Amino acid sequence: MATTVLAPGATRTYRRSALYEWLTTTDHKKIGILYLTNSFLFFLLAGLLALVIRSELAVPGLQFVNSSTYNQLFTMHGTTMIFLVLMPFLAGLGNYAVPLQIGAADMAFPRINALSFWMLPLGGILMFSGFFFGGAAAEGWTSYSPLAQAKYSGSGTDLWIVALLLIGTSSILGSINFLATIFKLRAPGMTLLRMPVFVWTVMVTSLLILLATPVFTSGVFMLYIDRNFGGAFFDPASGGNPILWQNLFWFFGHPEVYILILPAMGVISEVVPVFSRKPIFGYKAFIFATLLIGGLGFSVWAHHMFTTGAVYLPFFSLTTSLIGVPTGIKFFNWIATMWRGKISFATPMLFAVGFLSTFLVGGLDGAILASPPVDFALHDTYWIVAHIHFVFFGGTMFGVFAAAYYWFPKMFGARLDEGLGKIHFVLMLIGTWVTFFPMHLLGLEGMPRRIADYSPAAGWTDLNTVETIGSFIIAISVLPFMWNVFVTLRGPRDAGDDPWDGYTLEWATTSPPPPYNFDHLPPIRSERPLFDLKYGHGARRALPSASVATTQEGAS
Amino acid sequence: MAGRAEALPAPGHGARQGIDTALVGMLLFIASEIMFFAGLFGAYFNIRAEHTVWPPQGFELDLGLAAVLTVILVSSSFTMQYAVSCIRKGDRTGMVRAMTVTVILGVIFLCGQLYDYASLGFGISSGVYGTLFFTMTGFHGAHVLGGVIGMSVVLLRGINGQFSARHHTAVEAVSIYWHFVDVVWIGLFSTLYLLR
Amino acid sequence: MQLSPRVRSVVTVAGLAGAVLLLGGCSALYPPNAASSQGADIRTLYSIFMVPMIAIFVLVEGLIVWSVLRYRRRKGDDELPVQTHGNNLLEITWTVLPTLLVLVLFFVSWQTLNKVDAEPANPAVTVDVTGFQWQWTFAYPQYNLSYTGIGDQGPVLVLPVDEVIHVRLHSNDVIHSFYVPDFLFKRDVIPGQVNNFDLNLKDAGVTYTGQCAQLCGMGHYQMRFTVQTMTPANFQAWVQAEQAKAKATPAPAAGGQAGPTLQLSASSTTSFDETSLSAPAGQPFTVQLTNKTAGAPHNFSIKDASGKVLFTGLPLAQPGQTVSYSVPALPAGTYTFFCSVHPTNMTGTLTVK
């Protein structure tokens, strides 16, 4: 009954400073926003590294950096984007949205939640400090041994190892927290098969993190022992095996790819139905596909090792091919959700459509790479670079921005400006295609990845120049977004509780929600409790609710 | 509208029936620990499969000492379980006694392990076998140490009169962890000493 | 802005046609024609894969564009669309059809894999490729010939066409990858493990460039090599000429070193242990190079300020070896000494006075 007075802030007789409040918070919403802010800062940093990389490659010759620095740049770009940008972006979205979407007051272990977050900036600073202590790690984000052994690399690699141990622990603790929250703190009526798709994807992702990351942690410890205590795990000269590192790394590294894409798919599965004004098409099939991707994800790791001559190719080829099926199911479900809907193109939906049309290429690339002979030709070329960027940038980053525009009004009570949002979207879409699509062609022409320079005689100059231009378009596209956040936060907080006519529980509370989230909850009888509340449970063609319709912006 | 109060489970406490949230957390943590050790065991078997002579020449282990330590650690699991069954019945004194025995057995195991390390004729840097042996047993030892510390905290809380038949999640959690450490040792003992 | 249905369908058709043209008609989406029969098989396989991929791309992008254009919400339209939750028949269809497709593709690629990885019993020529930071050594054990790359273009691998070539890959230090884009093929070069593959080349008298495809340190980007093809007859003639040349080259003179001896050593592939040396002007001298590197050969060479190479020390000092180079007299001045195997990063200053 009188539940909100239990909120600690209400009983305080004095106010602590806002900074102290943010540094010590255990509120999942504030921690979520901390995650997102931290990820965005590292996104800018990793983006700067990418701009230096692209500038260096624009024309033949070493103009800006030498090859050692170049190797550090792409190593740090890759590691940062994966471990300090994409993963924490999704963890931040999960932190913010999951308790709200399942009608919980907070995460299961709020203090561990804060601990998980604070390990990230610490790890990031440690890793980047390598630049000031004789060079950062320079062996690529995959850090293959023997190159990563002490004999062939500098102390930046040790910082990289320690940082990844911190970040890995952070994600393991985070995944335990998500799973315990989802298993134990769902509101009455919120059965597993009524959970929003986003919650499902966070749950499967957490399972993947829980089971895959510790294997990576053990491998990273082994690398540390090799480098610092005279160990011989990956050193063939002392009886070790360099392929062992690749097995340990990719046993984690491939599930990691799904860790990075599944929650983004979850975001798309929230945004597309709401803006199409229809339920997600084939909810159960979607859940099934998510579980299948998660399960198959543990049996495909060696497709990163087709050219090592050390793995059984047909098995990993088959499992990798099969993973295309659940991904395909999702695509058809999204399209069928839009089909005969009434779609409004607010910025979240634009980014969702951008995700569909761009991630598609990354998915098809993956199906082609599942064939070992084709992989012999394309592996370690720019074709692979194209593939991962279509998946992670065209996929995950579009999903992250869709989520940012979608949940911003919930987080801050104000909607981001639509005009600036559309400029952001158009520039980012163009930039993505211009930067990453030509990489396919360069890969087919034989340009290997991770090279600081190429010969003018190779004929790769024109496409590289185009890509560099594209990368600057992407960089520029971020500026309207930052301006948008800045001006929106200075403006009135007038978005209302439910600006998008949403379906899920987060829109049933105030914007921003109070501490412990809910004053009361609507009854939960389907995966769209708020829709049921507004239009009636089981509505097929219900009458519009006038109060909601007035907050809607029509198609523009 | 649904009832208001029931929709507001307090964070960190099992608001719904079933296993306590903290225990769910511990079980999930154990799952991640299993995968951590799976990585180490995977490394061991991967490297072992690459060698025709295993263990390589000159790596002798002290099977007798390890067998004694195994008996000690396995018995400590039983004393731990006895402590849990005591507190489930509300017998705090029994729990404190059994837990004290468990802590002592854990410390004896650690001391025995250190003695073993000191008397072995090879180190972590003497080839891949030494690296594997010391890494695997070392990480296990670190987990034993963590368990001993965790048990000591629970023990002190027990001595201070905490825990009852209804409220003893920490005891349950630390016992799950201790059994896990024990099972890992049985795996290590079988792998390193018996399946040579 | 509202489009009339007619305009919209025109836009859709144009978009689809554009996509088809862009993807179907563009040869840039395909790898180059392969120089080897194995590469040709891979290219065929790639083309087979591209058919369903382009079809799916056009279909899905078309459906997205269509949905976006056709099902826009009109201003003021507050009525909900029909709330469709699913359709079992449709969902089963788009599960079963892709499954069949990927299974077919899997079997096709398995067939190609068996062809590409086949290793006939009696190859005509066996080549031992050794990768090290950041050059290659190509050795022909049958003919007792061996070539280590010098300079930034690396060594040349001479191969006959129309014959089975067996390649064995060795690494002395880190992982490399032997990659020739025109073969549509690469295989990793891994320390502690010998990888093999076979090759049947088609066109004689052609030069192909190759380079390392697996990050191997700061010199990775310039770990290049060249493949030169010959007819079998020309190849045999080349082998005999090279063998004769190897016999004619006198063994390096042991002892009899003139002038002072300078000590130089190399513990890594990134730099010499000493970065400056000095020698007397107008007098021959000897440089004793100790190679302490694990996997790479080194040598001692001299170039002047204009980059003209004045002296190239041969033979190379193999790992663990110490080799003495007798250097002819030089006029006073400042020169650059370098390792011919690692010319961009292993350099130092030689002061002659």
Side-chain angles (χ1 to χ4, degrees), chain A residues 7-89:
Chain A
T11 55
R12 290 238 173 87
T13 49
Y14 60 97
R15 267 183 65 87
R16 285 172 166 149
S17 76
L19 180 69
Y20 184 85
E21 197 59 44
W22 279 99
L23 290 179
T24 58
T25 184
T26 58
D27 178 354
H28 75 96
K29 298 180 291 295
K30 285 191 169 160
I31 291 175
I33 291 168
L34 282 174
Y35 262 106
L36 297 174
T37 313
N38 182 62
S39 309
F40 189 76
L41 293 176
F42 277 107
F43 173 61
L44 295 181
L45 203 53
L48 277 179
L49 300 183
L51 287 183
V52 181
I53 292 170
R54 278 311 330 158
S55 304
E56 183 53 63
L57 290 175
V59 288
L62 289 172
Q63 292 87 9
F64 302 105
V65 292
N66 61 31
S67 64
S68 299
T69 312
Y70 182 86
N71 289 358
Q72 294 170 31
L73 289 176
F74 68 71
T75 300
M76 294 300 286
H77 168 75
T79 313
T80 307
M81 281 304 292
I82 286 169
F83 291 102
L84 291 165
V85 178
L86 299 176
M87 236 175 143
F89 254 139

Side-chain angles (χ1 to χ4, degrees), chain A residues 71 74-75 138-140 142 144 147 380 449-451, chain C residues 174-176 212-218 220:
Chain A
N71 289 358
F74 68 71
T75 300
E139 292 77 49
T142 51
Y144 279 7
L147 186 63
D380 274 336
R449 67 193 293 200
R450 295 172 171 175
I451 54 171
Chain C
V174 302
I175 300 177
H176 305 277
C212 177
Q214 179 66 261
L215 175 66
C216 56
M218 65 184 268
H220 165 59

